[in-house]
Amino acid sequence: MLILGIDTSCDDTSAAVIEDRKILSNIVSSQIKFHSKYGGIVPEIASRKHLEWIWDVTEKALSIANVELKEIDLISVCHGPGLIGSLLVGLCFAKSISFSAQKPIIGVNHLDAHIQAVFLEEKYPEFPFLSLIVSGGHTSLYRVDDFGKYRELGRTRDDAAGEAYDKVAKMLGLSYPGGPIIDALAQEGNPNKYKLPKPFLHGSLDFSFSGLKTAIKVLLKSLNIQEGNPPEDFKKDFSACFQAVVVEVLIEKIKKALKGEALNRVVITGGVAANSELRKRAMELEGDGIEVYLPSKALCTDNAAMIAIAGFHKFQTGERSDLFLNARAYLPL
Ligand code: KG4
Ligand code: ZN
């Protein structure tokens, strides 16, 4: 079965073609250079860029896959959660081609797609498993018993981990998105140089990362360093300390959730799952007999192949959407 996936939930315009579980193309057109000078995503710019790019990106995905639209069996589109203006562009586009080419359409939850990205890999888990979605918009733990059978075990009470990376990066004078930059700087820093609070929220599987912003503010003040312009050594050391705390919290919560649910498989996905320290620490869990599944970095960050696979699995269970499908900024799993 040939599936065309479309994702415009945030700032990446993405289209992909998969054949069952095999990726034929996965185009992600990043808008970062249009947003980075503002230190974050500007929703108005994001939707305008999606509008300009969606057709070209889709044509490219079809041409790299060597497939014509008339050969596509299913259009799978992300309809939430995300930026409403951005979502509407991808959704209206998908509905238009579904109508004109007379192809079935199915709406997919972006978080469902992040979890299912792992099924595009050679190595994928059996059910049940634990899933940590850790991205710019979400930090949540789910018990996954089957496709579509998810139970939330914990979530962030304030900032998502990726959001914390991006906000701290801004305070360090780094550009957007800060996650990969902090990750690189941390390689050269001393993770024990500064003592930061570790937000474990004992007794809960929830997360809280917003206190780390306050910690850096207090630290900068005590060292008499101007926010947004610290010296290079401070950037490296602080990045290493910050990253160590975030990763430690994520790993501890994974362990606790696995134990509480009597599971021995974990899938870690979402943009922050591209983080080198998190990947290293997660793989160490295998020493304790835990099966660890980390999709490749390109499948951890936003992409349309993950939307296509999630749509494929829904379609197999007989689910269909229609042209009344709407975009939802808030769409729980
Ligand atoms: O999943 P994603 O592409 O988009 C959302 O759905 O949010 O995740 C983007 C987030 C950004 O906050 C970015 O800073 C973070 O993922 N990120 C990273 C790394 N690569 C991307 N965070 C830490 N380390 C990385 N290597
Ligand atoms: Zn995402």
Side-chain angles (χ1 to χ4, degrees), residues 12 110 114 134-138 162-163 165-166 176-180 183 243 270-272 274-276 300-302:
D12 290 318
H110 187 80
H114 268 305
V134 63
S135 70
H138 300 87
E163 191 181 355
Y165 263 98
D166 297 337
Y176 177 86
D183 192 2
Q243 178 149 294
V272 182
N275 182 266
S276 55
C300 281
T301 47
D302 287 354

Side-chain angles (χ1 to χ4, degrees), residues 127-149:
F127 296 107
F129 59 82
L130 177 77
S131 178
L132 171 70
I133 303 181
V134 63
S135 70
H138 300 87
T139 302
S140 303
L141 278 164
Y142 294 93
R143 180 191 168 96
V144 181
D145 282 298
D146 202 343
F147 294 122
K149 279 199 177 164

Side-chain angles (χ1 to χ4, degrees), residues 10 31 42-52 85-86 89:
C10 191
Q31 302 181 359
V42 183
E44 177 68 18
I45 295 177
S47 24
R48 282 176 191 276
K49 286 289 155 202
H50 286 311
L51 207 52
E52 280 172 32
S86 291
V89 176

